[in-house]
Amino acid sequence: MSSRVSLARSRVPLDRMALVQMAICALPTALLVGLAQRTLAGTLLYLSVLIMVGRCVLRREHVRLGVVVLGLIPWLMLLRNDFSYNLLIVLLVAVPAFWCLIVPHDVAALWANFRIRLLLILSVVYWLISFFLTGDYSVNLRALELTSAVCVIFLLSGSYRHLLTALVGLSLSTLSICVALLPYGERLGMASVDGHRLGNPITLGIPLALVVTLAIADQGRLLSFAGRGYRIALGVVAGAFLLITTSRGAWAVAAGNLVVLMFLGKRQRLATVGLLVAVALSVPLIMATQRGVYLEQGIRRTLPTDRTLTQLSSGRSDQWLLFPRLFSDSPFWGYGPGLGQTQYAKYSLLDHRVEYKPGELADWHSLYLQLGVDAGLIGLFSLALIAIPLLWCCLRYLRVTGQIVPLLGVTGFLIVAASVSAMDAVSGVFLGLAFLSTKEPSLRFGEASALDLRPSVVPLTRPRVRRYLNGLMRVDATTMGDPWGPAQWMLDLPEKWRLSWCLLRANEPIGFVIATKKESSLHIHRLAIAEHERDSGLGKQLLGLAARRGQVRGCHSITLKVDKDNKGAIRFYHRLGFRSSESSGNNLAMFADSEAIASLYATNANSRFSR
């Protein structure tokens, strides 16, 4: 068996429990939205999310907490006005905070990343100054939403399996929103339910642009696709939904990323062309439905017609027209973070060309405009200090690894920032994917993914037990007998930390052996393989490796005890050459020669897992 695994034929197994938890939250919510029960849908969504979050906290499942929160971002953004507007921000901040309590090393590595540290510091300072100048804590609080989403993506990237699960969940959440909102409104993503406005086309359009991007880029690997047909189908469905949002800002994001794929994505050009053709063919089908009228109106709003530029751009052209005057009056410091709305109300009255909300408080429809007004050259330079080196990192990452997703992340974010403030969680996902390029690109993408798929064995030291405790306990819980608690896992026993091993796949425990030395014997306290990994020879190889290490430590025999009712385990040990010696209560004592068991590892170990 080759040491490399072809990703086209192999898929990283997703975290099914996390997908179930996201489905429990999203599917009833989608049904209630479809039935026009807006308030009930929002309440149910947030209560179910809080229950899932509480479950993850109680079980110390920090990684799954990040997966669930990230995967439900589209729904939390859509219904944030119906429960607690800032709860999404609290959840996104809570993930790295809780992660720090469980695995502080991971968060320390995140903080050690200079570019992320700079982004965090600038975002917090920007929000604090806004709070100080306006007296309103909510002004620019969403800057923390953006940076927290970046941090969650970066932390999840330590487990390829869970990063994929989160992105798959986010994609499915986005598509479920599309289905739930299909009966409403002129533009998909915006609805009038119970007399209240729900959603915004660009809030749905940007996640759809992300789904289109991920379905094509890098052969759809970040959505766990191994076949071209499925990912093209997903891209076409998401592209068709994107069309009927008629969100020109989201169209620009998708179009910009597809252009980058055409020019720089050598292996994605054919798929990109196929997607564009399929989406173009879907236009006549959409035109034949009730949505066709609204799509035609959206196209007319986009193309030059007898409408004014202000009408075509929803006021963005007026803000760009007004910006030079504001900027020239205070070019260096700006007017202060959080004061951009009042400056627009003031200056819009001084220019007769402005048609968009003259004299009214209005948000700036671009991150570049907002930073230029709020913080002048300092704000724009700070953004450039993050974006330009990050863009260079993404290009270098593409050249070294062949992976284009980080580059599409930064280009997508920069395009989003031209249409909206980009201080939201989905923009944070784009930017977070870009920050993956700041990790050391030591292997090409296919090789790195193959290593992720291939089991690796590592010594089970005390720090690793602490880091992987939740996963180890989940594997242990699938075996017969009483599972160990945290205190038993951390218990010091003779030579335990030198003789025990852990088996990882995609940075998650899938097996372990706990062994100690008793006089001249190696005693196996625990040997377990995850249910979905059994019957693959991994248990035999793991036991053989423990026997080899035991020989080095002077152990000439191996002993263990197994529950008499565990017939499968007894047959397993008998096949390996173990013999029964005596019984003690409900346990059967077994023993074998170390050399015979150690040879099991030497036979074909290198094809089973890497060290």
Side-chain angles (χ1 to χ4, degrees):
M1 179 177 176
S2 173
S3 62
R4 291 189 182 182
V5 179
S6 173
L7 194 61
R9 298 180 180 178
S10 303
R11 295 181 185 177
V12 176
L14 300 179
D15 186 341
R16 295 181 180 179
M17 180 54 67
L19 290 174
V20 169
Q21 290 178 336
M22 287 185 277
I24 291 173
C25 296
L27 294 182
T29 304
L31 179 61
L32 289 172
V33 170
L35 295 174
Q37 301 295 321
R38 177 187 57 84
T39 303
L40 182 59
T43 303
L44 178 63
L45 171 68
Y46 278 92
L47 288 179
S48 59
V49 168
L50 290 175
I51 291 172
M52 296 306 169
V53 168
R55 182 181 185 276
C56 291
V57 171
L58 291 175
R59 296 171 64 90
R60 298 171 63 86
E61 296 175 344
H62 57 288
V63 181
R64 186 168 290 162
L65 174 63
V67 172
V68 172
V69 172
L70 198 71
L72 291 173
I73 279 174
W75 274 113
L76 294 170
M77 290 180 64
L78 179 73
L79 296 172
R80 66 193 311 167
N81 290 320
D82 293 292
F83 193 84
S84 173
Y85 187 88
N86 292 326
L87 185 58
L88 174 57
I89 303 174
V90 173
L91 291 174
L92 287 170
V93 172
V95 170
F98 183 61
W99 202 304
C100 185
L101 294 176
I102 306 300
V103 190
H105 173 77
D106 287 356
V107 180
L110 180 145
W111 182 253
N113 187 302
F114 170 75
R115 293 176 178 85
I116 290 185
R117 184 166 70 246
L118 178 63
L119 177 66
L120 285 169
I121 292 172
L122 291 175
S123 300
V124 171
V125 169
Y126 183 69
W127 170 65
L128 287 175
I129 296 177
S130 299
F131 183 22
F132 175 78
L133 294 178
T134 64
D136 184 355
Y137 78 93
S138 65
V139 175
N140 290 325
L141 181 63
R142 293 182 71 177
L144 304 186
E145 180 178 326
L146 170 73
T147 53
S148 297
V150 171
C151 293
V152 174
I153 286 285
F154 193 85
L155 289 171
L156 287 177
S157 67
S159 171
Y160 189 64
R161 172 194 180 198
H162 287 100
L163 177 61
L164 264 62
T165 305
L167 294 174
V168 168
L170 188 149
S171 301
L172 295 178
S173 293
T174 302
L175 296 179
S176 66
I177 292 175
C178 294
V179 174
L181 294 183
L182 268 178
Y184 301 104
E186 298 181 359
R187 304 171 65 188
L188 185 63
M190 181 175 64
S192 178
V193 183
D194 296 336
H196 296 273
R197 178 176 170 175
L198 177 67
N200 188 306
I202 197 168
T203 304
L204 179 61
I206 292 176
L208 284 170
L210 177 64
V211 176
V212 172
T213 298
L214 294 180
I216 300 299
D218 296 326
Q219 290 80 47
R221 288 167 180 166
L222 284 185
L223 291 182
S224 192
F225 283 120
R228 177 178 298 175
Y230 293 111
R231 62 192 183 93
I232 295 296
L234 176 66
V236 171
V237 171
F241 281 137
L242 178 59
L243 283 177
I244 58 180
T245 64
T246 65
S247 168
R248 288 153 291 172
W251 288 359
V253 175
N257 279 346
L258 291 178
V259 169
V260 173
L261 279 169
M262 287 293 293
F263 281 95
L264 299 178
K266 297 180 180 179
R267 298 180 180 179
Q268 289 94 45
R269 287 170 183 164
L270 183 60
T272 303
V273 172
L275 174 68
L276 291 173
V277 171
V279 172
L281 292 175
S282 71
V283 173
L285 298 177
I286 297 173
M287 289 296 187
T289 67
Q290 183 180 1
R291 288 280 178 182
V293 177
Y294 307 129
L295 177 57
E296 185 177 0
Q297 292 175 355
I299 294 174
R300 288 179 178 176
R301 284 197 301 266
T302 305
L303 300 176
T305 62
D306 55 352
R307 295 164 62 89
T308 66
L309 186 59
T310 299
Q311 292 171 328
L312 287 171
S313 62
S314 302
R316 290 179 178 85
S317 61
D318 278 353
Q319 295 189 339
W320 284 100
L321 185 69
L322 200 59
F323 177 73
R325 182 170 183 177
L326 277 86
F327 188 77
S328 62
D329 286 351
S330 184
F332 190 73
W333 298 101
Y335 298 89
L339 301 179
Q341 287 187 337
T342 58
Q343 296 305 316
Y344 179 82
K346 174 183 176 182
Y347 276 79
S348 60
L349 292 174
L350 303 179
D351 194 325
H352 68 278
R353 297 172 296 175
V354 174
E355 301 176 21
Y356 178 72
K357 296 183 178 181
E360 298 181 32
L361 298 176
D363 292 324
W364 290 91
H365 286 257
S366 168
L367 178 64
Y368 310 124
L369 296 179
Q370 179 175 331
L371 290 179
V373 173
D374 278 1
L377 285 174
I378 293 179
L380 294 176
F381 177 76
S382 298
L383 179 61
L385 194 62
I386 295 172
I388 295 176
L390 186 59
L391 185 60
W392 174 254
C393 277
C394 292
L395 289 170
R396 181 174 64 92
Y397 197 80
L398 172 63
R399 185 176 66 253
V400 174
T401 68
Q403 186 180 4
I404 199 171
V405 165
L407 178 61
L408 299 176
V410 70
T411 56
F413 175 79
L414 293 174
I415 297 172
V416 170
S419 299
V420 292
S421 68
M423 292 185 185
D424 59 75
V426 178
S427 300
V429 173
F430 271 105
L431 194 57
L433 293 174
F435 272 103
L436 299 184
S437 66
T438 62
K439 292 193 167 186
E440 185 61 34
S442 57
L443 296 170
R444 294 188 62 82
F445 182 84
E447 295 171 356
S449 300
L451 283 178
D452 247 337
L453 288 168
R454 189 181 179 199
S456 60
V457 63
V458 295
L460 192 59
T461 59
R462 176 184 285 273
R464 283 200 176 99
V465 169
R466 189 178 295 113
R467 177 176 182 177
Y468 296 115
L469 181 59
N470 290 334
L472 292 168
M473 292 179 67
R474 283 196 296 272
V475 174
D476 188 38
T478 64
T479 61
M480 290 188 65
D482 297 328
W484 276 4
Q488 291 168 289
W489 278 99
M490 300 304 300
L491 187 65
D492 282 318
L493 295 171
E495 303 283 349
K496 173 183 175 182
W497 306 119
R498 293 186 176 91
L499 297 172
S500 301
W501 298 88
C502 177
L503 196 58
L504 303 173
R505 188 193 297 277
N507 207 32
E508 279 296 303
I510 60 171
F512 60 83
V513 57
I514 307 295
T516 61
K517 183 178 181 181
K518 289 187 176 182
E519 298 179 351
S520 61
S521 295
L522 178 76
H523 185 71
I524 305 298
H525 290 267
R526 225 65 171 182
L527 173 65
I529 301 294
E531 285 183 313
H532 63 279
E533 300 285 351
R534 291 174 188 169
D535 299 323
S536 60
L538 294 177
K540 179 175 67 175
Q541 297 294 333
L542 201 56
L543 187 61
L545 178 58
R548 285 187 60 180
R549 176 56 66 88
Q551 286 182 308
V552 175
R553 311 297 296 180
C555 300
H556 304 296
S557 63
I558 302 179
T559 62
L560 56 87
K561 292 181 179 180
V562 61
D563 194 307
K564 291 180 179 178
D565 297 327
N566 195 345
K567 304 300 182 183
I570 293 174
R571 288 194 299 270
F572 168 76
Y573 289 120
H574 277 154
R575 285 198 304 270
L576 298 184
F578 279 84
R579 299 182 294 277
S580 303
S581 58
E582 59 184 18
S583 299
S584 175
N586 200 42
N587 291 325
L588 177 65
M590 306 185 77
F591 69 96
D593 181 67
S594 288
E595 186 174 354
I597 302 302
S599 66
L600 299 174
Y601 175 78
T603 301
N604 197 26
N606 291 333
S607 68
R608 293 296 183 183
F609 44 68
S610 60
R611 292 184 59 186

